[in-house]
């Protein structure tokens, strides 16, 4: 396994753990299968999560989330990126897990201590 594959596998395990699921095992390298088991929420909505690991995340994208965080530190910062008819929302994984009810918030609506942002 190359360093890049190992980094991707480690990222998949970390994302799966954060969302309360497990990484899909025994996939062939070039098969088209999900990175992790789907997550079904109490609402009945099922999430299929794809994880991508890179050496770094574009600075402008991180900057957009950080800019939103500066406006109201107690809120969940979200950056929306638009282009070519697509709109994607970007937020911290811990915040997504909390919003989906996969991690409890404290009484003030703040992420629990120990959850890295």
């Amino acid at each position: 396994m190359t360093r890049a594959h190992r980094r991707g596998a480690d990222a998949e395990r970390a994302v799966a753990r954060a969302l309360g699921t497990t990484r899909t095992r025994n996939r062939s390298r070039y098969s088209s299968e999900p990175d992790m088991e789907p997550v079904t929420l109490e609402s009945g909505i099922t999430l299929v999560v794809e994880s991508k690991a890179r050496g770094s995340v574009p600075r402008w994208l991180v900057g957009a989330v950080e800019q939103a965080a500066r406006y109201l530190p107690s809120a969940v910062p979200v950056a929306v990126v638009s282009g070519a008819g697509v709109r994607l929302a970007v937020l911290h994984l811990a915040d997504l897990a909390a919003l989906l009810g996969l991690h409890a918030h404290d009484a003030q609506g703040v992420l629990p201590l120990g959850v890295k942002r």
Side-chain angles (χ1 to χ4, degrees):
M1 183 182 275
T2 67
R3 187 179 325 197
H5 289 115
R6 200 169 18 260
R7 182 177 64 222
D10 289 345
E12 288 173 8
R13 277 189 285 278
V15 170
R17 195 170 33 254
L19 297 176
T21 189
T22 57
R23 182 172 180 251
T24 306
R25 299 184 188 274
N26 302 322
R27 304 179 276 170
S28 70
R29 189 167 167 193
Y30 300 103
S31 67
S32 180
E33 297 176 50
D35 291 339
M36 58 203 70
E37 296 298 321
V39 177
T40 301
L41 305 174
E42 286 185 23
S43 65
I45 294 172
T46 300
L47 305 176
V48 177
V49 180
E50 180 69 19
S51 175
K52 298 294 180 192
R54 299 292 183 263
S56 64
V57 176
R59 292 177 73 161
W60 63 267
L61 190 53
V62 174
V65 175
E66 289 173 348
Q67 181 178 353
R70 286 191 299 271
Y71 297 137
L72 186 59
S74 62
V76 174
V78 179
V80 176
V81 182
S82 302
V86 175
R87 286 197 179 110
L88 300 174
V90 179
L91 66 159
H92 293 279
L93 179 59
D95 290 340
L96 174 64
L99 288 169
L100 297 175
L102 300 172
H103 291 296
H105 279 81
D106 68 11
Q108 287 79 37
V110 179
L111 288 172
L113 294 176
V115 175
K116 288 188 176 183
R117 214 183 239 193

